[in-house]
Amino acid sequence: MAGVARLMSLSHFNCRACGTALPSPFLDLGDQPLSNAFLAPDKVASEQRYPLRVRLCPSCALVQADNVVPASAIFDADYAYFSSFSDSWLAQCKRFAEQAIDRFALDGNSLVVETASNDGYLLQYFAAAEIPVLGIEPSANTAAVAQKRGVPTEIAFFSEATARALKARGVVADVVYGANVLAHVPDMRDFVAGFPHVLKPGGTLILEFPHLLKMLEYVEFDTIYHEHFSYLSLMAVERALAASGLSVYDLDCLPSHGGSLRLYCAFTADGRVASDAVCRVREVEREAALDNPDTFARFAARIGSLCDTFRTFVYKARSEGKKLAAYGAAAKGNTFLNTCGMTEADILCAFDRNPHKQGKLLPGSHIPVLSPDEIAVLRPDYVVILPWNLREEIQKQLAGIAEWGGRFVVAVPDLDVFAP
């Protein structure tokens, strides 16, 4: 894999959380397209590619991609990611809403605000319990779906200016929620600075994000793409929150997205004491040296080996006349396929339930996206599960491939080929 772990002297970048000048990248995945920029077949010639490089801040330990793509180019009117196409994710969101209503004693006089609320996948459950909600979502097409669900949604990027405007209108929340959004923020300081304006004194800010520690442990390099500006640890997020007078008082460790953290945060002035769970994760991160450049150099080296193993499997299967397809046109899958150099000659198609992706081509690899209804027609010998975090859900959905002897393939963290 050309470019991985290559140290370079490149143009100057500052940390998006603390402003410190950043050293050279510890990881270079080459020039790649935006992972959610699915292509119409007649638009291949106009596809844009951008450098995909990752650096470690020596001051606050934030791991971050180079700031080379404006957010407006990513979260445009045709943004292709909709949260509601994963049954297991929706079930988790419903459980969380029920728990939050009970834990924070929410009722008809409360307000739940979600930043990056997407298609209303979470807030719909609060609204169904007659809890007032408000979503803040920059993508017009996903916001429109939420509004049709009866979830009030404003089309805007959350920022300090947005938060000030909301507060001026009397919008202050008992719970402010941000699931898998902090990593998507190009200006983290500005984003975090908005929370104190929309959070009530005594209220709780809840942030969820994939845990950097798990990304390193399980070689989840495919979660690196332009849409993810940052790769988050507790230590880095606590430092960013402290600058806005916020502190973490509790957390949950979640299995979602390969291993995530859910942080419960409040105003530092509220005086809440950090739980044992917070203290344990702090210690684990210190032991893992998540602020040490050597840790990330080792991670970069492991990526090359993983990609080599997958390419060897694919080329051998093709030489034997086997048909390979993929399932789940996920952003992480596009990073994986492009880093491995896969094309339609290697993987015939990718099946996906999302109709907004069907009929289009995966960015970079230009593999066509088809409806899962076509699986029984193509009858692939191998189905590569790209969203490995949904492995069990997809395995159940596609159990029918056993009819013709089809097998599943998962490549992260290690190559695993198995029967339904």
Side-chain angles (χ1 to χ4, degrees), residues 8 91 98 217 219 230 305 314:
M8 304 168 296
E98 293 168 349
E217 183 177 353
V219 206
S230 302
S305 176
V314 171

Side-chain angles (χ1 to χ4, degrees), residues 17-18 56-62 188-189 192 233-248 285-286 290-291:
C18 71
L56 171 68
C57 178
S59 180
C60 73
L62 180 67
M188 187 177 292
R189 283 185 292 183
V192 172
S233 61
L234 175 61
M235 68 170 68
V237 173
E238 286 200 290
R239 291 169 185 174
L241 291 170
S244 291
L246 298 164
S247 301
V248 179
E285 289 192 347
R286 281 194 294 269
L290 295 189
D291 54 357

Side-chain angles (χ1 to χ4, degrees), residues 310-328 337 342 346-351 367 374-376 378-386 394 398 400-402 404-411 415-420:
F310 181 72
R311 279 193 292 262
T312 298
F313 166 79
V314 171
Y315 298 154
K316 183 176 185 294
R318 284 178 53 206
S319 71
E320 296 171 348
K322 303 296 186 182
K323 291 187 292 187
L324 290 87
Y327 188 91
L337 294 172
M342 296 291 105
D346 305 300
I347 295 177
L348 299 178
C349 65
F351 302 107
I367 294 168
E374 300 295 321
I375 293 178
L378 184 63
R379 297 168 73 92
D381 299 288
Y382 295 105
V383 176
V384 181
I385 298 176
L386 295 176
I394 293 169
L398 303 188
I401 70 171
W404 56 85
R407 305 184 76 189
F408 293 112
V409 180
V410 173
L415 186 69
D416 187 12
V417 182
F418 56 98

Side-chain angles (χ1 to χ4, degrees), residues 225-256:
Y225 41 94
H226 299 101
E227 186 182 313
H228 282 171
F229 292 99
S230 302
Y231 306 89
L232 302 165
S233 61
L234 175 61
M235 68 170 68
V237 173
E238 286 200 290
R239 291 169 185 174
L241 291 170
S244 291
L246 298 164
S247 301
V248 179
Y249 69 84
D250 199 8
L251 64 76
D252 298 324
C253 294
L254 307 173
S256 55

Side-chain angles (χ1 to χ4, degrees), residues 205 207 209 233-239 241-242 245-252 261-268 272-275 277-279 281-282:
L205 163 68
L207 297 173
F209 51 83
S233 61
L234 175 61
M235 68 170 68
V237 173
E238 286 200 290
R239 291 169 185 174
L241 291 170
L246 298 164
S247 301
V248 179
Y249 69 84
D250 199 8
L251 64 76
D252 298 324
L261 294 181
R262 176 186 289 154
L263 308 185
Y264 299 88
C265 318
F267 288 105
T268 303
R272 302 192 196 187
V273 177
S275 68
V278 174
C279 296
V281 173
R282 286 173 180 165

Side-chain angles (χ1 to χ4, degrees), residues 50-281:
Y50 306 89
L52 185 55
R53 303 178 295 239
V54 189
R55 309 180 189 227
L56 171 68
C57 178
S59 180
C60 73
L62 180 67
V63 174
Q64 57 206 280
D66 285 354
N67 195 3
V68 295
V69 186
S72 58
I74 298 174
F75 305 103
D76 61 14
D78 295 317
Y79 185 55
Y81 179 74
F82 289 74
S83 295
S84 294
F85 286 99
S86 168
D87 296 334
S88 60
W89 175 240
L90 288 177
Q92 178 177 314
C93 291
K94 186 175 186 294
R95 288 193 300 272
F96 168 74
E98 293 168 349
Q99 292 165 3
I101 290 169
D102 182 59
R103 176 170 182 169
F104 303 112
L106 302 177
D107 57 26
N109 297 313
S110 306
L111 176 64
V112 177
V113 168
E114 182 180 9
T115 59
S117 51
N118 201 262
D119 57 10
Y121 71 101
L122 171 72
L123 291 182
Q124 64 180 329
Y125 299 116
F126 288 98
E130 300 184 345
I131 309 296
V133 299
L134 177 65
I136 311 296
E137 169 55 46
S139 298
N141 59 336
T142 52
V145 173
Q147 291 162 347
K148 287 181 181 179
R149 283 186 169 138
V151 175
T153 305
E154 300 205 10
I155 302 172
F157 283 97
F158 186 80
S159 64
E160 184 173 14
T162 302
R164 286 183 181 275
L166 290 170
K167 185 176 183 179
R169 289 162 37 195
V171 177
V172 285
D174 300 87
V175 172
V176 178
Y177 182 70
N180 305 307
V181 58
L182 198 57
H184 294 250
V185 176
D187 187 344
M188 187 177 292
R189 283 185 292 183
D190 181 54
F191 185 83
V192 172
F195 290 133
H197 298 287
V198 293
L199 183 65
K200 289 181 182 178
T204 292
L205 163 68
I206 304 173
L207 297 173
E208 289 185 25
F209 51 83
H211 193 187
L212 174 65
L213 184 69
K214 297 302 180 183
M215 185 179 89
L216 300 182
E217 183 177 353
Y218 296 111
V219 206
E220 296 167 356
F221 79 95
D222 52 347
T223 61
I224 297 172
Y225 41 94
H226 299 101
E227 186 182 313
H228 282 171
F229 292 99
S230 302
Y231 306 89
L232 302 165
S233 61
L234 175 61
M235 68 170 68
V237 173
E238 286 200 290
R239 291 169 185 174
L241 291 170
S244 291
L246 298 164
S247 301
V248 179
Y249 69 84
D250 199 8
L251 64 76
D252 298 324
C253 294
L254 307 173
S256 55
H257 300 287
S260 297
L261 294 181
R262 176 186 289 154
L263 308 185
Y264 299 88
C265 318
F267 288 105
T268 303
D270 288 351
R272 302 192 196 187
V273 177
S275 68
D276 290 343
V278 174
C279 296
R280 281 195 301 271
V281 173

